[in-house]
Amino acid sequence: MRGDILSRVVGMETSLLTALGDKTARPLARQLELRTVGDLLRHYPRKYIEHATVTRATDREDQRFRPGEHVTLLGTVEGVTGRRMRHRRGHVLEARVSVGAQWFTCTFFNQPYRERDLKPGTKALFSGDLSRYKGGWQLAAPDFIVLNAGASAHLPGLIPVYPATRRLRSWQVMMAVRQVLDLLDEPEDPLPDTLRAAHGLASLGDALRRVHLPDTYEEQRAARRRLVWDEAFGLQLAMVGRRASATTRPAPACPRREDGLAAAFDARLPFALTGSQRDVGESLSAALAGTEPLNRLLQGDVGSGKTIVALRAMLQVVDAGRQAVLLAPTEVLAAQHARSLRAMLGPLGRAGELDADPEGATRVTLLTGSLGARARREALLDAQSGAAGIVVGTHAVIQQGVGFADLGLVVVDEQHRFGVHQRDELRSRPGETTPHVLVMTATPIPRTVALTLYGDLDTSELTELPAGRRPIATTAVPAGVKPRWLDRAWERVHEEVGAGHQVYVVCPRIGDEGGEPGEEQPPTAADDLLDPERDEETEAPVARPPLAVSEVGPMLAEGPLAGLRLEILHGRLPTDEKDAVMRAFGEGRVDVLVATTVVEVGVDVPNATMMIIMDADRFGVSQLHQLRGRVGRGSAPSSCLLVTDALPGSPALERLERLAATPDGFEVARLDLQVRDEGDVLGAQQSGRHSGLHMLSVLRHGDVIAEAREEARAVLAVDPSLADHPGLAGLVRSVVGEDEAAFLDRL
Ligand code: ADP
Ligand code: MG
């Protein structure tokens, strides 16, 4: 029976039950959810240990051992003594084990036969809890495995350490892996030989063997490089392929006209464009003129002036006789966009009204879920008839069956609030053409991350802020230990208002019905990516609930901010009330706006020069950066106070202080990403279940990702459905899952 199994050659799809038998396979399935040979071989070692080293359960920096600590050590038995215990009945066996220059005593009770396994010179792995013994360290009754006896003839030079559990030891995984590798038929390599040669990549079989059982670090590095390549390549094939399938139809060509709205708008601009606004504008303009659908991610820190870049692109499309739509994540933002586009356009945006520019003015139409029936009918008609050159609305509403006369461009603002998939809806509508797409994000995403997550978008960046901006002076205010500082903060609000400016006070919660932090906009995967502070780890245990707008508002109005014109704003107010408050604040009729994160993105009131964020430690770093971007939008100096009860020296306060010292959004995004386990970064992006991404790191593998992207383009250019590359089609499926790989079937 057993011989039968052993003589059978296994493949990646073979079940572990077949390959290893029930006794070994069951714990692998139960403890680690590994069911096939492929699952097991993709369960990569977490790290390796050299002979004569100790690894510990936690990767502690400091070198001192602690009693009770769980360690695994790989050492050499130097001597063994067995004796009867003096005061109790029973036998005790002590093995002296050297690990480098350090000594450990491994103690076994009533197992005299162990002496046979632990002859001097034996190399073995011992795993157990440390205790003090005779001035040295002891492992009492450790688990152990002998490594250089008989069967372990080809003991690897480095011992793999696997993600394992107390029930399933790392070395049990190692033994299973070795068994499987012995039986494994050379797996078919999905990567074409030419590609492997060009990039100096090991074969799949070699890579799998050497990632698990390397002799040298060099070997395991080469193996990892190959396996990382697989993941990057699978992902980029999916990204590039999806893009290709979305763009099999041409986009409407919208060449720039020198006598149109775009030119008239430029002539009226009250300020000079920044260099990067001009550069990006030119590149967008050139792309819109062509029939290859534009697919662009525009990144720019808060306040860098993305809206004008988008508006200039939209006007070029309107000049070509087509329509543009601007999608915003919230009603507040949509309404504000419509208002500010109209204001910027002036008479150019008032088609059909008395003071419109007589020549070719256009109309900006707002379409949100809360419009009354009549207003909605009119807005829909505007969109359908083409009377509205620019339609602004929330994502949800526009995607639900709004018809357009001739849609040329879709602009998506603040992409990080959306899923990656949602932008495809408008584009995949039937028709001869497919619109150009411009996605804007103010949450800066490092280029490698953008490539990985949005590999199907090209990116442009606004790298400078408009002239005259001053950095937002950000200060952490530990109100718990320095209540006077908070008093001083309220005095400063009076000073700002006295100088004719306005102030935001932001709270994490609405209040009353017991809302939750962040409820305004449910977090998306990408939010999680950039706001690691949502993790339970940093959500310090706290006695009181986060401060709420409904409590802080009245408290300030009756207390320290009495006499100022104060309003509250949050997502649960009726829409017209929200609009009224926002308009009043925009027009300077409100001094202090106490709000939730509804003001987080896009809100643009240049006269607001101060923001006080209450319970700032409850927000993620990126979110705080977004929030503070609401001030510093005019030429007056601005400030942001991060109020917290966190104690000096606590990680929460340190995080806020770091943010306070970091004005640059890209740097902030890096701060965020660095504390994040990147498996999660990519994993979170995969819908739900099992992700095929194990090793790829968006921070460390930027170069591989870029190379893989080029190769993916080259392969898909000649074989768009991967019909001639079944191995690659399989790779795509295994890396991104069936859903994401759907483009393969669509062609
Ligand atoms: P964001 O990139 O955060 O969306 P906005 O587009 O809202 O930024 O622009 C922020 C503010 O800066 C707006 O008031 C806008 O009118 C102004 N602005 C944009 N470009 C310039 C410029 N080149 N010079 C001066 N002010 C500008
Ligand atoms: Mg904006």
Side-chain angles (χ1 to χ4, degrees), residues 449 453 524-538 620 622 658 668-685 696-700:
V449 181
L453 301 184
T524 63
D527 275 346
D528 284 343
L529 155 66
L530 293 159
D531 284 338
E533 286 68 30
R534 285 186 206 279
D535 282 2
E536 65 283 3
E537 187 193 343
T538 43
S622 288
R658 233 171 1 157
V668 171
R670 286 218 144 244
L671 279 184
D672 257 9
L673 278 168
Q674 269 158 11
V675 287
R676 184 121 190 120
D677 178 349
E678 294 188 75
D680 297 349
V681 171
L682 291 167
Q685 203 61 24
L696 190 66
S697 153
V698 291
L699 285 183
R700 281 179 290 120

Side-chain angles (χ1 to χ4, degrees), residues 708-747:
R709 185 167 194 224
E710 287 317 304
E711 291 289 357
R713 280 185 163 156
V715 171
L716 289 167
V718 293
D719 182 14
S721 63
L722 298 179
D724 301 330
H725 295 83
L728 290 183
L731 179 67
V732 173
R733 291 200 168 85
S734 76
V735 170
V736 300
E738 288 294 336
D739 291 353
E740 285 280 309
F743 79 91
L744 294 173
D745 310 322
R746 239 186 274 141
L747 286 167

Side-chain angles (χ1 to χ4, degrees), residues 613-658:
I613 303 177
M614 308 302 291
D615 278 342
D617 50 296
R618 311 293 180 108
F619 297 98
V621 168
S622 288
Q623 204 178 7
L624 290 169
H625 180 68
Q626 281 287 327
L627 280 168
R628 74 177 164 179
R630 298 310 110 210
V631 296
R633 301 174 83 80
S635 50
S638 293
S639 57
C640 174
L641 303 182
L642 307 172
V643 179
T644 175
D645 279 346
L647 299 174
S650 66
L653 185 58
E654 271 169 24
R655 194 163 56 83
L656 296 179
E657 283 167 349
R658 233 171 1 157

Side-chain angles (χ1 to χ4, degrees), residues 271-274 277 300-308 414 466 469 602 604 606 633:
F271 43 69
L273 295 174
T274 65
Q277 280 175 321
D301 204 351
V302 264
S304 59
K306 294 183 291 298
T307 317
I308 281 170
E414 314 295 353
R469 289 290 163 73
D604 184 26
R633 301 174 83 80

